Amino acid sequence: MAAGGLRAPVPGRCGYFVERKKRFCRMIPAQGRRFCGEHGHQEEENDRKRIPCPLDPKHTVYEDQLQKHLKKCNSREKPKPAYFVQDINAGLKDATEILDEQQLPISSLSKEELEDLIKKLKKASNGIKPILKDQMLSHQALQEALNDPKNGESAFKHLKQQASILGNMEKLHLLGPGRCFIEFGAGRGKLSHWVDIALQDAENVHFLLVERATTRFKVDGKHRKRDYIFERLQVDIQHLCLNKVPILEKEKLPVVGIGKHLCGAATDLALRCLVESYSTQYDERNEEPSPKRFKSDKTDIAFNNSADERSGKNVSENWKPVTGIVIALCCHHRCQWKHYVGQEFFRTVGLGPVEFNYFQRMTSWATCGMRETITEASTIDAKSKDQSNDIEEHDQVHNRIECSSDSLQGLLTVEERKQIGRLCKLLIDQGRIKYLQQRGYNAALQYYTDSSVSLENVLLTAVPSQSSVPQPTA
């Protein structure tokens, strides 16, 4: 048999040619067989019938062994962990929610309708500063890696972003002992890895990495022999109940929520998980006041629980279990009204789900004019296998976004689309800021890296407002 230029399969391997991959199957067949179990139906002498698995039609199974297979299939529904609570962070269902199939494309809008939509956007954005403050910082924990010539361009860009996130965390006094860092949308866990490097001498520090997907090339293995928790929670943020995570139930540590490029609705789910679901239930389950925290000096606030317990003093009722939030925002076009935490803000400025769904898609205009640059960079990065492992999903999203530039030709220039796209992103983020402020946090948006490093270069930070931080008594 010859196919795709190959004369025959590798000796000892399956003889089935996979057309989609343009090569022979590499599975090992049973002794005396030409094909593996998956392609066993190709055997002329084999009268056993194979059928698609009802749990996952991507693979097949012998019909007479179906019941046995269903009990061990990797696609079977697995027992839910204790911290899984259905839709706990999804938010209240809105009766005015617009279904995906009901959404009209922007290209279907008339010139008058589009102009009216842009007027609403500008009116709602009135009073919001269009230019954010630059907070492009770095951290000494990453200096060696940043200066390593072995790191390619893609790896260097990720390191710069991670260094700036750590720099901003340090500026907010969030890097310290006696707390639990929760990385949302953790992926390989690189951000938690660098936070751990920065806190090597700190005591009573734990890490929870939240990621719904199975991830390859994780850094978890580097932290298995340490005397602290470096645990991965494979669950959708929408269903994560932090109060039922064993380490948080046991130690009641202050929590710092972090994330690097937390896409779209995941940011809203994470915010609600931290400041609504977790904080509210934390207060309800603790009848006795928590230990008081003291200011160690003018620039830092100590959260080391062991020291606080020894002090024997109580905290005010406004103490918050979430001591900080640092999230690099990303992919506003993936936001969803049903999960959005800024619904109340949108309504106060005269907007609703209809406008939100248009603005959410128009956010892609902020980057659509730069697609050629991204494509060129991706081509360069793809030349190195090691570098390509560092390319995250959000880096490639912009190449697939329909920016509607062709359908809007003549109505708006490229520069006008960019400005409107940025304004849409800013308005959506402003709703998140208002949400946090209403719940007792000082929240802010800032540029944490240059647009040449990442087009998604806005960092959301939040710490409890001063009224929520207890002051030391004389």
Side-chain angles (χ1 to χ4, degrees):
M1 181 177 180
L6 299 178
R7 296 181 179 179
V10 177
R13 303 290 173 145
C14 177
Y16 180 80
F17 185 78
V18 185
E19 186 63 34
R20 180 173 61 87
K21 297 184 178 180
K22 303 299 181 185
R23 62 167 174 79
F24 286 98
C25 173
R26 293 171 181 166
M27 296 291 286
I28 301 176
Q31 188 173 2
R33 295 285 186 179
R34 181 183 173 192
F35 299 97
C36 67
E38 183 66 22
H39 304 118
H41 60 280
Q42 301 291 326
E43 299 270 10
E44 294 180 2
E45 66 276 13
N46 189 354
D47 56 357
R48 296 175 69 190
K49 183 180 179 182
R50 290 188 72 87
I51 60 173
C53 172
L55 299 178
D56 182 5
K58 292 181 180 179
H59 65 273
T60 60
V61 60
Y62 283 117
E63 188 174 29
D64 56 6
Q65 291 186 338
L66 177 60
Q67 295 306 316
K68 180 180 178 181
H69 170 79
L70 292 177
K71 295 178 181 178
K72 61 181 181 180
C73 179
N74 288 333
S75 298
R76 71 188 186 282
E77 185 175 359
K78 300 176 178 62
K80 299 289 190 298
Y83 48 78
F84 180 97
V85 177
Q86 185 74 35
D87 292 331
I88 186 172
N89 304 313
L92 298 175
K93 187 171 179 61
D94 192 336
T96 60
E97 179 186 336
I98 300 174
L99 301 177
D100 291 341
E101 57 269 21
Q102 296 175 327
Q103 295 184 18
L104 296 174
I106 297 175
S107 57
S108 67
L109 296 176
S110 66
K111 180 179 179 181
E112 291 73 21
E113 289 173 325
L114 181 60
E115 288 176 345
D116 183 59
L117 196 61
I118 293 173
K119 285 180 182 178
K120 288 183 178 180
L121 171 66
K122 292 181 177 179
K123 181 180 178 181
S125 304
N126 188 30
I128 302 176
K129 293 182 179 179
I131 306 298
L132 304 179
K133 184 179 180 181
D134 286 339
Q135 291 286 0
M136 302 177 192
L137 308 177
S138 189
H139 196 279
Q140 59 183 7
L142 289 93
Q143 289 310 306
E144 184 178 347
L146 285 168
N147 295 326
D148 189 349
K150 293 181 181 178
N151 288 318
E153 183 181 359
S154 177
F156 178 73
K157 288 183 176 182
H158 287 291
L159 288 168
K160 283 198 71 173
Q161 295 173 66
Q162 290 154 351
S164 184
I165 292 174
L166 261 68
N168 277 276
M169 291 176 68
E170 186 174 53
K171 183 176 181 180
L172 294 171
H173 315 300
L174 298 178
L175 295 177
R179 63 200 71 186
C180 180
F181 293 89
I182 303 178
E183 182 179 358
F184 293 93
R188 296 169 59 189
K190 281 292 191 72
L191 184 55
S192 291
H193 168 74
W194 288 115
V195 172
D196 176 48
I197 297 296
L199 295 173
Q200 280 191 339
D201 298 327
E203 296 181 357
N204 200 23
V205 175
H206 302 296
F207 294 88
L208 296 175
L209 284 69
V210 183
E211 177 58 63
R212 66 180 179 182
T214 303
T215 308
R216 301 176 65 194
F217 309 115
K218 299 186 289 287
V219 300
D220 304 33
K222 299 179 181 180
H223 304 269
R224 286 175 183 163
K225 296 181 180 179
R226 304 290 292 273
D227 56 354
Y228 59 77
I229 299 295
F230 199 92
E231 183 181 355
R232 186 169 286 266
L233 309 179
Q234 189 171 344
V235 62
D236 194 310
I237 305 171
Q238 182 172 335
H239 314 300
L240 173 61
C241 179
L242 291 177
N243 293 282
K244 296 187 178 182
V245 176
I247 185 63
L248 295 179
E249 276 189 311
K250 179 182 178 182
E251 304 225 6
K252 297 183 175 63
L253 291 173
V255 162
V256 178
I258 60 176
K260 176 175 175 284
H261 294 295
L262 196 55
C263 290
T267 295
D268 300 298
L269 295 172
L271 293 178
R272 189 176 284 111
C273 177
L274 289 166
V275 306
E276 198 167 326
S277 304
Y278 178 60
S279 297
T280 301
Q281 294 185 29
Y282 183 99
D283 293 337
E284 290 175 353
R285 78 183 185 188
N286 287 279
E287 296 179 1
E288 295 183 4
S290 302
K292 184 169 184 176
R293 301 175 298 170
F294 293 97
K295 280 191 175 182
S296 57
D297 53 43
K298 293 183 179 179
T299 59
D300 199 7
I301 296 176
F303 295 106
N304 193 324
N305 280 9
S306 60
D308 291 345
E309 288 169 1
R310 289 194 295 270
S311 71
K313 297 183 180 180
N314 293 330
V315 72
S316 69
E317 294 179 358
N318 290 328
W319 182 80
K320 294 186 178 298
V322 178
T323 60
I325 300 171
V326 180
I327 295 175
L329 304 173
C330 177
C331 301
H332 293 70
H333 64 280
R334 292 185 175 180
C335 292
Q336 299 178 47
W337 175 258
K338 62 182 178 182
H339 298 314
Y340 181 50
V341 297
Q343 291 184 15
E344 184 179 342
F345 165 74
F346 255 61
R347 291 194 176 98
T348 59
V349 294
L351 303 175
V354 174
E355 291 81 9
F356 178 86
N357 281 288
Y358 281 122
F359 295 161
Q360 161 252 332
R361 283 174 285 166
M362 288 161 66
T363 59
S364 64
W365 294 359
T367 53
C368 67
M370 307 178 192
R371 282 179 295 175
E372 292 183 5
T373 304
I374 302 170
T375 305
E376 291 174 5
S378 299
T379 304
I380 295 172
D381 290 338
K383 294 179 181 178
S384 169
K385 182 177 180 180
D386 292 336
Q387 292 178 32
S388 63
N389 287 337
D390 277 329
I391 297 176
E392 297 178 4
E393 180 184 0
H394 73 273
D395 289 322
Q396 302 168 8
V397 166
H398 301 293
N399 293 325
R400 303 191 297 268
I401 297 172
E402 180 186 353
C403 295
S404 304
S405 56
D406 295 333
S407 60
L408 296 170
Q409 196 71 32
L411 296 180
L412 297 168
T413 65
V414 171
E415 190 57 38
E416 286 173 335
R417 287 197 299 273
K418 287 182 186 178
Q419 292 177 0
I420 292 170
R422 294 189 190 109
L423 205 54
C424 288
K425 294 172 73 170
L426 187 61
L427 188 66
I428 291 174
D429 290 337
Q430 189 66 23
R432 293 164 170 166
I433 295 295
K434 294 296 184 183
Y435 170 83
L436 291 168
Q437 289 174 345
Q438 290 172 357
R439 283 155 182 79
Y441 287 85
N442 282 333
L445 299 170
Q446 51 262 309
Y447 295 122
Y448 77 102
T449 192
D450 191 77
S451 59
S452 62
V453 175
S454 175
L455 296 174
E456 299 285 10
N457 62 341
V458 175
L459 188 71
L460 183 152
T461 60
V463 293
S465 59
Q466 196 62 29
S467 61
S468 299
V469 178
Q471 301 298 321
T473 56

